Amino acid sequence: MNEQSNINQLSAQDAQFLYIQSATNLTHVMAVYIYDPSTAPGGKVRFKDIIEHMRKRMDISPMFKRKLYRLPLDIDHPYWVEDEHFDLEAHISHSRLPEPGDWRQFCIHVARHHSKPLDMNRPLWDMYVLEGLDNIPGYAKGSYAILTRIHHSTIDGVSGAHFFAAISDKDPDGTPAIPLPKTKIAANALPTTAEILNRAINSTVTSPVKLTQALMKFAPALLSSAQKNLTGSAEKTESGVPQTRFNAAVTPHKMFDAITFDLDELKKMRLKAPEATINDVVLAICSGALRRYLTKHKELPEEPLVAVAPVNARSRSGEESNPGTNISAMTIKIWSNIADPIERLAAIRDTTRETKAAKSGLSARIMTDLSKHIPGVTMAGVSRILTDERFAPKMSNLMVSNVPGPQIQLYMNGAKLTHQYGLAPLAHGMGLFIATPSYNGTISFSIISDRKIMPDIEFFRECLQKAFDELRDAKPSEVVKKPKKASETAKKQPDSGDGSVMYRRVAKKPRTVAPKPVSRDKSKRN
């Protein structure tokens, strides 16, 4: 098989995740997968089995063997090049959870691993196999975790879900969950000095023209927004973000906790507000938990909290040659100042529909588009300023990411995947991230915060449980009506209940719902 080389330069959006990285703002994502080896041959999976499985799947993505080639002074965006010294075993390590091996120790271990930077001089991913999970309620005896870290410049939520599916199997016999590529991936070649200089000059010269064109595209929306502000017709809180403990500088020490719910329960909840989506229910549960948490600390603002929600910007076909980042974002008021859970859900439904109709959340979408046309050297400099805690903008109070996952049972090395969690970067001024990956009829709320910002993260997990129970048990009243007429003018998006999922659920099976730790130890983390 002939292997052809190609030149692959990072897009502006991919490169941005490199420029904003610092000692306290690491920009990698991490997925945590829990496996039950009882279905594997002999009921056991060895560490070397995992290494050999990954060796056989190396051709599913170019990210495995490529590393960064950064230019002096960041005069242009970096390039991907093949790592001539690539060693698979250097990217996969192995350890055991310390005693007592309970849920609290597991969360501490996950948070500590997430807080460590990736080696930026080699391919930007690694895997960490963690054994000793026998004392965690809800986990089968002998279960182990695989913690997979990938830099955000390499992958986003959607391409990450595809990557995970490609290393997974749909049965214990090792049948790949999705078709594997039949051709060998082309190597990323290092461009010549002349090519690098030509591209850098061309980018610098043409960027002002492209930037002007992008601004003109958004001109009508910008004018409309300005008129509303000048005439006072826009709400006072339309662009305002209330100050909370989450809008503070973050430290290198991250925190993690999680809770998992039955996805069918969320599907039932969305029926309590006509035309609400699973994503609306996710935001409503997060809002209810934050209301309870901040009320306990006597810090609940009168204005509604604001969340940033990533939006998939990929084509509907999902066919993209580059597995990198391709996302936009929208800012959403999550109405934490509304006490009634169903009224809160209805308000969130209206807001998300209006945002999707381009009636709000304009700034995030504009910045996502305009960043494509800013020269690399300028973007690098601006990014370093914006990531400084003194200048970090207050764009929201938190980020909530809902990426639908496969709705069938998956395996790896014959071991059955039982639970899935996700961790993402924090930033100065936004010290709370809630990731909600769904898998095989369950949805996990993964909490990522900072030790100083949320030292009582276990309590917030309890708040999520109570917000879930509150919305599940709430009775609809006459005040909950169909969406506003303004929203109805928006083009209706197809909704299957949990967004566009990669697989159809083929059969109803018993599910293991996420562990609810028995221990109520309120002491501070190690």
Side-chain angles (χ1 to χ4, degrees), residues 35-57 92 127 129 144 146 167-175 410-417:
Y35 290 93
D36 171 9
S38 64
T39 54
K44 188 174 183 179
V45 175
R46 297 171 297 178
F47 178 58
K48 69 177 185 179
D49 295 331
I50 296 173
I51 293 177
E52 289 310 308
H53 176 84
M54 290 306 301
R55 197 183 304 278
K56 294 175 183 176
R57 302 289 170 100
I92 307 179
M127 284 184 170
V129 181
Y144 59 91
I146 297 184
I167 66 171
S168 299
D169 300 322
K170 60 183 179 181
D171 55 44
D173 299 325
T175 306
L410 294 178
Y411 301 81
M412 184 177 178
N413 290 109
K416 176 173 60 175
L417 176 67

Side-chain angles (χ1 to χ4, degrees), residues 25-290:
N25 289 314
L26 301 176
T27 50
H28 59 252
V29 294
M30 185 168 81
V32 180
Y33 308 115
I34 311 298
Y35 290 93
D36 171 9
S38 64
T39 54
K44 188 174 183 179
V45 175
R46 297 171 297 178
F47 178 58
K48 69 177 185 179
D49 295 331
I50 296 173
I51 293 177
E52 289 310 308
H53 176 84
M54 290 306 301
R55 197 183 304 278
K56 294 175 183 176
R57 302 289 170 100
M58 284 288 98
D59 287 336
I60 63 172
S61 173
M63 57 157 268
F64 285 115
K65 298 180 181 179
R66 68 186 188 185
K67 65 178 183 179
L68 286 172
Y69 179 78
R70 294 187 75 160
L71 305 179
L73 304 176
D74 288 318
I75 59 171
D76 200 3
H77 300 318
Y79 291 82
W80 290 117
V81 297
E82 291 299 297
D83 183 3
E84 58 182 351
H85 305 297
F86 175 76
D87 179 4
L88 175 62
E89 296 187 29
H91 287 262
I92 307 179
S93 56
H94 177 233
S95 185
R96 189 171 186 86
L97 194 66
E99 296 295 336
D102 57 12
W103 175 252
R104 180 172 178 271
Q105 280 293 332
F106 175 71
C107 290
I108 292 171
H109 216 69
V110 169
R112 285 177 177 170
H113 188 63
H114 184 58
S115 301
K116 297 175 183 177
L118 284 166
D119 186 344
M120 303 300 287
N121 295 312
R122 64 183 188 181
L124 302 181
W125 69 276
D126 63 23
M127 284 184 170
Y128 181 42
V129 181
L130 184 62
E131 294 185 289
L133 313 183
D134 290 346
N135 291 327
I136 298 179
Y139 289 1
K141 292 295 181 182
S143 290
Y144 59 91
I146 297 184
L147 284 56
T148 303
R149 297 192 303 170
I150 307 175
H151 199 275
H152 218 323
S153 63
T154 302
I155 214 164
D156 62 22
V158 175
S159 56
H162 184 273
F163 155 77
F164 167 66
I167 66 171
S168 299
D169 300 322
K170 60 183 179 181
D171 55 44
D173 299 325
T175 306
I178 61 175
L180 300 180
K182 296 179 179 179
T183 56
K184 193 169 184 179
I185 298 172
N188 293 136
L190 178 65
T192 65
T193 303
E195 287 174 324
I196 290 174
L197 291 175
N198 284 337
R199 284 176 178 237
I201 293 170
N202 183 63
S203 174
T204 303
V205 170
T206 61
S207 286
V209 177
K210 294 178 179 178
L211 187 64
T212 302
Q213 291 173 341
L215 281 169
M216 292 301 293
K217 182 174 71 174
F218 285 105
L222 288 168
L223 180 60
S224 174
S225 178
Q227 287 175 335
K228 287 182 180 179
N229 290 328
L230 289 172
T231 60
S233 59
E235 296 181 56
K236 293 181 180 179
T237 59
E238 184 70 26
S239 59
V241 177
Q243 180 64 33
T244 67
R245 63 168 57 206
F246 310 118
N247 300 107
V250 296
T251 72
H253 309 295
K254 305 302 185 286
M255 301 285 280
F256 166 78
D257 211 319
I259 189 168
T260 302
F261 302 115
D262 193 308
L263 189 57
D264 282 345
E265 292 290 340
L266 272 73
K267 291 179 180 179
K268 293 175 184 176
M269 290 180 195
R270 73 189 186 98
L271 301 177
K272 297 185 178 186
E275 300 187 35
T277 66
I278 286 292
N279 192 59
D280 296 335
V281 175
V282 166
L283 291 172
I285 292 172
C286 293
S287 178
L290 285 164

Side-chain angles (χ1 to χ4, degrees), residues 326-517:
N326 194 355
I327 55 174
S328 182
M330 59 181 181
T331 53
I332 306 168
K333 287 186 287 186
I334 57 174
W335 303 104
S336 50
N337 55 342
I338 298 178
D340 184 273
I342 299 184
E343 289 184 37
R344 189 187 311 128
L345 173 61
I348 290 172
R349 172 204 62 195
D350 292 342
T351 302
T352 55
R353 288 171 64 91
E354 289 174 359
T355 303
K356 288 176 182 178
K359 296 183 182 295
S360 59
L362 184 63
S363 58
R365 292 180 298 102
I366 288 179
M367 290 312 299
T368 300
D369 190 83
L370 298 187
S371 66
K372 300 175 184 177
H373 309 305
I374 299 175
V377 64
T378 304
M379 182 182 289
V382 172
S383 297
R384 293 187 185 102
I385 293 174
L386 293 179
T387 52
D388 188 297
E389 62 181 271
R390 296 168 295 175
F391 306 108
K394 188 170 69 173
M395 297 177 60
S396 69
N397 301 112
L398 73 155
M399 181 172 281
V400 180
S401 176
N402 179 24
V403 179
Q407 297 305 306
I408 61 171
Q409 180 65 62
L410 294 178
Y411 301 81
M412 184 177 178
N413 290 109
K416 176 173 60 175
L417 176 67
T418 59
H419 298 79
Q420 178 180 336
Y421 312 107
L423 288 83
L426 300 177
H428 290 313
M430 191 168 62
L432 177 62
F433 196 117
I434 302 176
T436 59
S438 60
Y439 161 68
N440 196 29
T442 62
I443 182 167
S444 297
F445 283 63
S446 302
I447 313 159
I448 307 96
S449 192
D450 181 273
R451 188 180 296 174
K452 285 188 175 181
I453 291 173
M454 189 180 274
D456 54 349
I457 195 169
E458 302 95 337
F459 173 60
F460 184 67
R461 184 194 67 235
E462 294 172 6
C463 290
L464 282 169
Q465 178 67 66
K466 290 179 179 178
F468 173 89
D469 295 341
E470 180 185 49
L471 184 54
R472 179 196 60 198
D473 300 336
K475 304 297 182 185
S477 62
E478 293 182 0
V479 296
V480 181
K481 301 177 180 178
K482 287 188 176 182
K484 300 174 183 178
K485 289 183 178 180
S487 298
E488 293 173 343
T489 61
K491 183 178 180 181
K492 188 174 179 180
Q493 302 294 323
D495 174 44
S496 60
D498 58 349
S500 54
V501 296
M502 295 174 61
Y503 304 90
R504 295 183 66 86
R505 185 169 176 80
V506 293
K508 194 85 171 178
K509 299 180 181 178
R511 309 180 187 109
T512 302
V513 174
K516 296 179 184 177

